[in-house]
Amino acid sequence: MLSLLGFLMVATFMYLIMSNRLSAMVALILVPVLFALIAGFGTDLGPMMMDGVKSIAPTGVMLIFGILYFGIMIDAGLFDPLVNLTLKAVKGDPMKIVVGTALLALFVSLDGDGSTTYMIVIAAMLPLYKKLNMNPLILSAVTMLAGGVMNLLPWGGPTARAISALNLDVSQVFNPLIPGMIVGSCWVVLVAFFIGRKERKRLQSSKYSLSMDLQTFAEEAVAADIPDYKRPHLIWVNLALTVALMAGLLADVIPLMILFMIAFALALMINYPKLEAQKERITAHAGNALNVASMVFAAGIFTGILSGTGMVDAMAHTMVNMVPESLGPYLPIITAITSMPLTFFMSNDAYYFGILPLLAEAAATYGIDPAQMTIASLLGQPVHLLSPLVPSTYLLVGLAGVNFGDHQRYTLKWAIGTTLVMLATALIIGAISL
């Protein structure tokens, strides 16, 4: 019964947000509360929701100050040289801009942290999309696709969880993953090329190309007047501060949220020493920060109820028990395919510490190496990032200014394609054997 209610709850939530009948924030709060009441957990709702909110609070605080920090950097003009250089280099070609987005996201994602990747890439590329009237869904989709591949780095979250769950060595899992990640990265660039070419055709047939070509439009955008809140004379100071922030993130010296709080305070004080100017810049980005933070804390209620009621465990066992014994030898392939919906419906912690050991134990009876099962379980990560349970996804859609449900619909087929491409590569090179 719990398993059925869990699947119904997730299906109801997805239907409501993808059909635009409810906002993601409202659905994240009300849908799980309704199903928890149906399941008879009325008296336990408070502690469950509180546990979920507490678990996600550090992430929420980090996102708030991360948005404010990079908002200050955008205002001050840190990314303007990159934007202007890119505009000149791509000659106003939307296809080249989309491919450039993919390459930038793949490079920035080397730090293994999705939140910082989204903040940097969106901050750098969104002005280009706005100036050329490009669809921001393309920006959010391509950035997430790149993150879905690079999220498999050993210092990224899922790979570390999977390896520790089965007590494996990093080389056993990551080395065989490398060819799949390379091919997956090429796939992302190919998708960007395809989407960018379609966007170029759309723009060329729009009213914007009737009065001027895209190259002229780009040149005029570069030559636009500089707003009074820009700080071009402080670009090297801001760059040094941002590099120090990134170094702190990689070194893990202090908690992430504290690092962003300190960086934001320094950025605000350096660029806008006058109190009135500080208030103006905070106000300019407060709406975006509030929107993202409110969705993240609402997601904490969803995950708290999903875990506290036991629905997530029941759903997992149902999925494992659905695999017929005759398909046992194909468990790595089944794991790779089912990792897409499973990691979509539950957190990485629940999947890798709760489900993967069960799958690996079942696979061992057929002589299947645990490393193969671990590799297979990681291939669904491109789809996992579309889950409403991933806090950084709310940051991405908030920064890009797109609807969560629209982003899911636009990106899902390409994310599934990324998983299938990496699975095919793993099968061809023998990282996963039949």
Side-chain angles (χ1 to χ4, degrees):
M1 179 59 72
L2 277 178
S3 175
L4 176 62
L5 285 174
F7 284 116
L8 283 175
M9 181 175 79
V10 173
T12 301
F13 170 79
M14 294 308 302
Y15 169 74
L16 289 173
I17 65 168
M18 294 186 76
S19 62
N20 291 324
R21 281 172 168 76
L22 281 181
S23 68
M25 182 177 67
V26 172
L28 282 167
I29 297 171
L30 296 184
V31 171
V33 168
L34 174 62
F35 277 86
L37 290 173
I38 293 173
F41 289 93
T43 57
D44 301 317
L45 267 179
M48 287 180 193
M49 292 188 288
M50 199 63 196
D51 288 342
V53 171
K54 285 179 180 178
S55 68
I56 215 161
T59 300
V61 174
M62 184 274 292
L63 293 179
I64 291 173
F65 284 94
I67 290 170
L68 292 174
Y69 175 81
F70 282 100
I72 295 298
M73 290 295 106
I74 294 170
D75 290 344
L78 174 62
F79 300 102
D80 285 356
L82 175 62
V83 171
N84 294 335
L85 181 64
T86 305
L87 268 175
K88 292 177 180 178
V90 301
K91 302 184 185 304
D93 187 348
M95 184 272 289
K96 294 180 181 179
I97 290 175
V98 179
V99 172
T101 300
L103 294 173
L104 177 63
L106 287 167
F107 176 76
V108 176
S109 294
L110 286 171
D111 71 347
D113 183 76
S115 297
T116 54
T117 296
Y118 296 156
M119 286 186 280
I120 293 172
V121 174
I122 302 301
M125 301 305 294
L126 185 59
L128 298 180
Y129 283 73
K130 287 183 175 179
K131 288 175 181 178
L132 296 181
N133 199 45
M134 293 173 64
N135 184 359
L137 282 171
I138 297 173
L139 174 58
S140 64
V142 171
T143 304
M144 175 170 280
L145 290 175
V149 175
M150 302 306 289
N151 199 32
L152 301 182
L153 290 165
W155 48 90
T159 301
R161 288 178 174 88
I163 290 172
S164 61
L166 296 185
N167 296 314
L168 297 173
D169 187 75
V170 173
S171 61
Q172 290 178 273
V173 175
F174 181 62
N175 290 356
L177 268 176
I178 293 175
M181 291 178 66
I182 293 173
V183 176
S185 298
C186 293
W187 161 261
V188 171
V189 175
L190 182 64
V191 169
F193 172 80
F194 175 76
I195 294 176
R197 193 170 60 175
K198 287 184 64 177
E199 184 68 359
R200 179 171 61 189
K201 290 180 180 178
R202 183 187 72 82
L203 285 174
Q204 286 175 341
S205 62
S206 71
K207 63 181 181 180
Y208 291 94
S209 62
L210 296 178
S211 58
M212 62 182 77
D213 60 31
L214 293 175
Q215 170 63 16
T216 304
F217 193 81
E219 290 174 354
E220 291 189 0
V222 172
D225 292 334
I226 300 176
D228 58 4
Y229 53 76
K230 294 292 184 182
R231 298 291 186 268
H233 60 287
L234 292 174
I235 188 168
W236 294 110
V237 176
N238 288 326
L239 179 61
L241 180 59
T242 303
V243 170
L245 172 61
M246 295 299 107
L249 294 176
L250 293 174
D252 196 21
V253 180
I254 56 177
L256 201 59
M257 62 175 182
I258 303 300
L259 201 58
F260 268 109
M261 292 173 75
I262 294 172
F264 163 70
L266 289 173
L268 193 62
M269 184 177 65
I270 292 170
N271 289 279
Y272 306 101
K274 293 183 179 180
L275 188 58
E276 202 60 38
Q278 292 181 3
K279 290 180 180 178
E280 288 178 1
R281 292 303 94 212
I282 293 174
T283 301
H285 301 285
N288 194 20
L290 176 62
N291 181 49
V292 172
S294 60
M295 291 235 273
V296 167
F297 286 113
I301 291 179
F302 192 99
T303 55
I305 290 177
L306 199 63
S307 300
T309 58
M311 288 182 187
V312 66
D313 294 330
M315 292 163 67
H317 283 91
T318 297
M319 294 290 288
V320 172
N321 293 333
M322 285 174 63
V323 179
E325 189 174 339
S326 59
L327 295 179
Y330 304 99
L331 267 173
I333 298 177
I334 294 171
T335 297
I337 294 173
T338 58
S339 68
M340 289 187 280
L342 283 174
T343 57
F344 186 89
F345 293 146
M346 62 186 69
S347 68
N348 276 338
D349 285 333
Y351 179 72
Y352 289 110
F353 293 116
I355 307 307
L356 180 57
L358 297 177
L359 292 170
E361 186 177 344
T365 62
Y366 299 95
I368 299 172
D369 184 44
Q372 284 196 41
M373 294 299 292
T374 304
I375 293 168
S377 71
L378 290 166
L379 298 181
Q381 283 301 302
V383 176
H384 165 72
L385 292 180
L386 285 167
S387 170
L389 306 181
V390 179
S392 62
T393 303
Y394 298 109
L395 173 65
L396 174 63
V397 298
L399 291 175
V402 299
N403 178 270
F404 189 90
D406 292 340
H407 169 71
Q408 286 181 317
R409 284 194 299 271
Y410 190 90
T411 312
L412 181 59
K413 62 181 178 181
W414 304 116
I416 293 173
T418 306
T419 293
L420 295 180
V421 165
M422 291 196 294
L423 173 59
T425 305
L427 288 170
I428 291 171
I429 68 171
I432 295 176
S433 58
L434 292 172

